[in-house]
Every structure is written in C-alpha cells, then in structure tokens.
Amino acid sequence: MTRRLDLVMAATRILLENITYSEPVALQRYARLLARELTAWVIVDVAGGPRLRRQHVSGPEDQRSEKQARAVAAVDPQPGSGPYQVHESGSTMLIAHAEDPGALGDGPDGIPLLMLLGATSVLSVPLTDGEHAYGVLTLARWPGHRHFEMADVGLVEELGEQLALAIRVDRMFRHRAGIADALKTSLLPRQVRQIPGTEIAAAHEPASTAAEGAGSDFYDVYPSRDGWGLAIGDVCGEGPDSAAVTAAARHAIRALAHLDADPEAVLRGINDIMLTEDFGGRFVTADVGHLTWRDGRLHLSLSSAGHPGPVLVRPDGRARVLNGGGLPLGIFPDAEPSAQELDLDPGDLLFLHTDGLTSACGPDMVQFEERLTDELAALAGEPPTVLVSRVREVVLELSGGELRDNVTMLALRVGQPPNQG
C-alpha cells in the first residue's frame, strides 16, 4: 500500500510540474514513470476526433526495447483492438493471461503487437474524468513478471483518471490562452491605419505579469463621419474576461462614430452601453478624438473619460499635456466626458498613451510621468515610429524590464494637407 501511494504521489507530481506546459511532455514522463514502477509496457492513446492516436509508448530501458517501442508507436489503434474497445465502451479491459495475439491489434508488418512486445498480460483503462473521454492507458507485461490481477485495476484506473484530469486542465488553459490571443488581436490592429496628410505609429508593451497573456489596453484609428477618428483606452482588470470588455469598447467606439462623430457623444454612448450590460463591475477609461482638415490645419475635437491627457509636441520642442479628466465609463449614468478643441499645424505631434506608461517606475519609485514631457520634447521632429520606439526603450530601461501595467502609445504627426501634396 505504501508503494502504491508513493507511485500515485510521484505521478501527481509529474503532472503538476508539467501542467499548462506541454501535454506531450507530460504524457511521456508519466508513461516512463509507470513503465519503470509497474514493470510493464505503457501505451498511451489519445482521442483525436472519432479516432484514437498513439501518443507514446514506454518500456524497459534498453536498445531493443526502444526499437519495439518505435514500432508500436507507429501504429494507431484500429477498430476492434482492445484499446479501441475500451475507448468506445468506457470500461476497463483486464486480460490476465492473454491468449489472443490480436488483443492489441497488428503492427506495421502485420505482426500482432502483443507478440512484438512479448507480452502475456494486458490491462487497459479509459482516460476519463467522469465527463469526457480523452483516450486509453494500456499496460502490458511480459513473462517473468506477475500477471495483472483485479487488485491492479483500481490503481491503474486511478492513474488513468489523474492523467485525464491533467489533460483536461492543460487543454482548458490552452483554450483560454487561445481566446486571449484572439482577443488581443482584435484589440490591437495588426497595422495602424494612416490618416491622409499625417504619419501615425503605435506601440504596445504588455505588463511583465499580464494575467493569461491578455491585455486590457486598446487603440484604434478609423474613418468616421466627415473625417477620421482615433481612440485609446484601458479597462480595469486583466484576463480574457477583461479583454472581452475591451474588444466590445473598441468596436463600439467605431460603430458609434459612424452615427455621430462627436467624441463626447461617442463616449456617452459607450457609458450607456456599459451601464446596460453586465460587465462584472469593470470600467473603461478612454480618449477619443475626431480629426478634420480645415484651411490647411488639422482640427482636433478631443474628449476624455478618466484617461490621461495626450501630449502635444511642437516642432521646436515645446510640449504640453492636454486636458484629460472626465469620469471613467460604466460607473455613473450622468458621467460627462471632458472636451476640448484645437488646431494642429504641420510638424505638430499628438502623443496618446495609457496610464501604464506614466505609472512605470524604477527602483527609486519615481514614476515616468515626471519625465514624460522632457523625453518627448527631446524627440521633437522625429518620425512617430522613432518616437514611440525610443519612449518604449526608455520606459523598459527605467523599470528594469518589469512593467506593472500594459503600456500602449499612439503618436500622430501632422504633415501637409492632402490636397497640397
């Protein structure tokens, strides 16, 4: 009993160490442990759609056995074979004295796998967590070792259930990571849309400890009624749920801007949506702008909802922070965004960012907010791509590569009006 408990603990440790890392690696290490401790061939078959696919084979650690293992691993279980029947029925198969050489099916050259392994006793259990079937775990012993008995069934079924649970958890994490990646793609455009007569660049640096790989920042540049829109924002919280809210906010901003380009109206619409829907208490901060060319100047209508104000950088190096403020979206029904209007001349640069940039700090706990305007002023006249790249480098250097929050930047430099070439 002590040895059985030790085996179960060792098997559990292997699965915990490899969870969310690599299913094939976990299966391989698990099979090798069982082969060594139970003195048996161990075959792991994993369900792939309606079929079973041979995932791993382990046996005695010698050169001849490696060749046999490769031969067995090269053949997927066929309908009618023992493992296939176990998978279909969900019931354990115990053949204490295997007299039918075809119990495990045939090998690559038509030789029965039971004969190829030289096995005389077989125990095959379903890999199931009680809800889903993930495959089959099969043990086969050769002469000179005791045959499998009913006393072995409980232990191997427990080991099979452990393996099934590990597979389930691993796939769940991978599925959630896949969702997070897909959502991240929807939050951050692969390529920044360019507004005629301007040059635009963006950058995103995820937090060093971003939960499940999904950021809550977003930015966008999009056509709107009578001009162009740009937006940058952040959702409180992390993970796929937060990313779903962020994706909804980004795409809702686009949709609302087609109905009414006024940034204030857009943000009020987002606030109404968030108060109507259940977003788990999350709220959004955002800056939204509307841009139109007027008499050779780029007119900006800017509205903010609890988000840091953008920085306006003149060609001569003067830099000032524009008004931010307003209340975050999704908290108060009567939250009114802040608003301002200004005209941008050729050479002017508008720098928008999330609060992950200004809150980044070094060992002295001095935040980057103290250096922001100086750094941007020193980069006056540089193309937006150079500017955001340099700011990113400075922030990572300041924080030692350990960002507490996502950092997102969007920079727009005004050029010549499109009708003037």
Side-chain angles (χ1 to χ4, degrees), residues 31-336:
R32 287 177 176 173
L33 171 69
L34 299 189
R36 182 176 66 250
E37 296 297 324
L38 297 176
T39 320
W41 287 99
V42 176
I43 304 171
V44 181
D45 299 317
V46 176
R51 300 180 54 190
L52 273 180
R53 300 189 180 278
R54 191 134 288 158
Q55 189 72 30
H56 186 74
V57 180
S58 285
E61 297 179 355
D62 56 60
Q63 190 172 358
R64 179 173 178 273
S65 297
E66 290 181 7
K67 183 178 179 180
Q68 291 172 294
R70 285 195 299 269
V72 176
V75 182
D76 288 334
Q78 298 301 310
S81 66
Y84 211 94
Q85 293 176 29
V86 169
H87 179 61
E88 288 187 322
S89 67
S91 301
T92 294
M93 179 185 74
L94 170 62
I95 308 177
H97 301 274
E99 298 178 356
D100 177 10
L104 297 181
D106 294 334
D109 301 321
I111 302 174
L113 294 180
L114 204 64
M115 294 179 59
L116 184 63
L117 295 175
T120 57
S121 186
V122 177
L123 175 55
S124 189
V125 303
L127 297 179
T128 176
D129 59 4
E131 296 181 15
H132 304 284
Y134 298 98
V136 178
L137 173 65
T138 300
L139 278 64
R141 278 198 178 129
W142 53 92
H145 298 277
R146 70 176 182 83
H147 297 289
F148 289 113
E149 303 170 348
M150 286 300 300
D152 299 307
V153 172
L155 171 64
V156 178
E157 285 182 340
E158 182 179 352
L159 294 171
E161 183 179 356
Q162 272 193 351
L163 189 53
L165 288 169
I167 292 173
R168 177 181 179 178
V169 171
D170 179 80
R171 292 182 182 180
M172 179 187 70
F173 273 95
R174 291 182 185 279
H175 177 66
R176 289 174 66 89
I179 292 175
D181 289 341
L183 286 169
K184 184 176 179 180
T185 299
S186 73
L187 309 183
L188 306 175
R190 294 182 180 180
Q191 187 172 1
V192 182
R193 185 189 292 267
Q194 298 296 311
I195 296 175
T198 71
E199 185 180 357
I200 306 176
H204 172 77
E205 188 69 26
S208 307
T209 57
E212 301 178 21
S216 58
D217 290 0
F218 68 91
Y219 66 83
D220 203 3
V221 180
Y222 48 90
S224 63
R225 296 187 63 181
D226 305 319
W228 294 82
L230 54 80
I232 190 167
D234 188 6
V235 172
C236 72
E238 292 287 350
D241 293 339
S242 182
V245 178
T246 312
R250 178 197 164 197
H251 293 297
I253 286 173
R254 273 185 171 239
L256 291 170
H258 279 286
L259 301 175
D260 189 338
D262 179 12
E264 283 187 81
V266 171
L267 289 177
R268 282 196 295 268
I270 297 298
N271 192 51
D272 292 341
I273 292 172
M274 293 197 66
L275 290 173
T276 302
E277 301 295 329
D278 181 12
F279 288 120
R282 289 178 171 81
F283 58 85
V284 174
T285 69
D287 284 335
V288 174
H290 181 248
L291 296 159
T292 53
W293 282 101
R294 298 180 183 177
D295 302 323
R297 307 179 81 187
L298 190 62
H299 183 76
L300 170 66
S301 297
L302 180 68
S303 190
S304 179
H307 202 76
V311 181
L312 176 60
V313 184
R314 302 291 188 182
D316 60 6
R318 289 177 296 158
R320 69 182 179 95
V321 179
L322 302 179
N323 294 334
L327 294 174
L329 307 172
I331 302 177
F332 304 106
D334 56 350
E336 283 296 319

Side-chain angles (χ1 to χ4, degrees), residues 339-411:
Q340 59 190 311
E341 309 266 338
L342 66 154
D343 291 311
L344 305 177
D345 294 310
D348 287 346
L349 184 138
L350 185 68
F351 181 82
L352 301 94
H353 60 90
T354 56
D355 60 4
L357 177 70
T358 49
S359 64
C361 61
D364 56 2
M365 301 307 292
V366 175
Q367 296 186 338
F368 184 70
E369 184 175 12
E370 302 292 330
R371 299 173 48 180
L372 178 59
T373 53
D374 289 341
E375 293 290 346
L376 292 177
L379 294 166
E382 294 286 356
T385 52
V386 174
L387 183 140
V388 297
S389 176
R390 177 55 185 157
V391 172
R392 174 183 174 275
E393 291 174 359
V394 171
V395 170
L396 288 176
E397 181 180 354
L398 171 69
S399 63
E402 295 294 326
L403 296 174
R404 297 181 297 178
D405 195 4
N406 302 313
V407 172
T408 301
M409 298 173 280
L410 183 65

